[in-house]
Amino acid sequence: DSGVTQTPKHLITATGQRVTLRCSPRSGDLSVYWYQQSLDQGLQFLIQYYNGEERAKGNILERFSAQQFPDLHSELNLSSLELGDSALYFCASSSQGSTEAFFGQGTRLTVV
Amino acid sequence: AQSVAQPEDQVNVAEGNPLTVKCTYSVSGNPYLFWYVQYPNRGLQFLLKYITGDNLVKGSYGFEAEFNKSQTSFHLKKPSALVSDSALYFCAVRGGGGSQGNLIFGKGTKLSVKP
């Protein structure tokens, strides 16, 4: 168990809908990262937050957004969903000064 | 831009034999390199990292990796494979510039260990 918790584990929704994925980082970790894993794109970095502020952006679509709350949990919001958004979404966290990140078990999103 | 390549989609090994999963990298500056493993329906688990120091890095579950600067490689190795090592293995490099925290992953190599 990495200590990173993601909910829900599975999510099935229709095209055009909006969903929210939740991540609780390891205790004390200030950085949260979101990744998308799909068969065609592999594992791609989406966005990073550090202590409530956006730190870095990767290949994140404009329809997607994230935030990190004062208690350090993070949410990834996906809107106007398309079939191609079906993927496994991972959250990871790391502590200040640490070089490695620890991953949650992911949320599997299926858009039908 | 930072990148990693895993040239093999799949590696097949007999139990008890040594295994190698290959990774090459391209970075500007000093590389921060990582190996992660993903078991079915599980998240990624950290195996080991190279930041600086000895070129042979030891990690979890008996895995080790050899950093070779001249060949820009960071191959994952294990002297004696177990059936339970069967999983998807990812090599990663830490992003540079303003994105130093995020990881850039290779496409993954599926390791299959047969009894």
Side-chain angles (χ1 to χ4, degrees), chain A residues 13-24:
Chain A
T13 190
T15 54
Q17 294 298 305
R18 172 190 169 95
V19 297
T20 297
L21 313 184
R22 182 187 170 100
C23 170
S24 294

Side-chain angles (χ1 to χ4, degrees), chain B residues 23-103:
Chain B
C23 172
T24 58
Y25 65 89
S26 174
V27 303
S28 53
N30 294 323
Y32 285 22
L33 296 161
F34 305 82
W35 276 102
Y36 283 80
V37 59
Q38 184 179 24
Y39 295 99
N41 301 314
R42 301 285 297 275
L44 280 77
Q45 295 180 30
F46 169 75
L47 278 180
L48 51 79
K49 66 181 178 184
Y50 173 84
I51 305 300
T52 186
D54 289 341
N55 290 341
L56 187 63
V57 178
K58 294 193 183 296
S60 307
Y61 313 120
F63 284 93
E64 57 191 27
E66 186 171 8
F67 172 72
N68 187 316
K69 189 172 182 178
S70 63
Q71 296 185 7
T72 61
S73 66
F74 188 56
H75 299 333
L76 181 70
K77 300 181 180 185
K78 188 173 182 181
S80 178
L82 300 172
V83 173
S84 58
D85 293 329
S86 299
L88 192 54
Y89 290 80
F90 290 95
C91 181
V93 64
R94 190 169 173 180
S99 305
Q100 291 192 11
N102 64 282
L103 297 172

Side-chain angles (χ1 to χ4, degrees), chain A residues 11-106:
Chain A
L11 197 50
I12 301 175
T13 190
T15 54
Q17 294 298 305
R18 172 190 169 95
V19 297
T20 297
L21 313 184
R22 182 187 170 100
C23 170
S24 294
R26 294 187 318 159
S27 178
D29 285 358
L30 299 179
S31 278
V32 170
Y33 312 82
W34 286 97
Y35 289 83
Q36 180 194 58
Q37 185 180 29
S38 62
L39 283 175
D40 53 345
Q41 298 291 330
L43 260 168
Q44 289 208 321
F45 167 68
L46 295 178
I47 197 164
Q48 177 198 358
Y49 276 81
Y50 178 83
N51 202 20
E53 294 191 2
E54 182 183 304
R55 175 63 65 91
K57 257 186 174 179
N59 297 322
I60 188 166
L61 300 172
E62 285 192 12
R63 299 184 285 109
F64 296 0
S65 65
Q67 52 185 332
Q68 185 179 26
F69 295 86
D71 67 351
L72 301 178
H73 92 271
S74 177
E75 292 181 356
L76 179 67
N77 300 296
L78 314 176
S79 62
S80 302
L81 285 167
E82 302 174 359
L83 296 178
D85 297 327
S86 296
L88 195 51
Y89 291 84
F90 285 111
C91 168
S93 72
S94 67
S95 58
Q96 187 176 9
S98 173
T99 51
E100 68 265 27
F102 293 86
F103 285 74
Q105 293 200 6

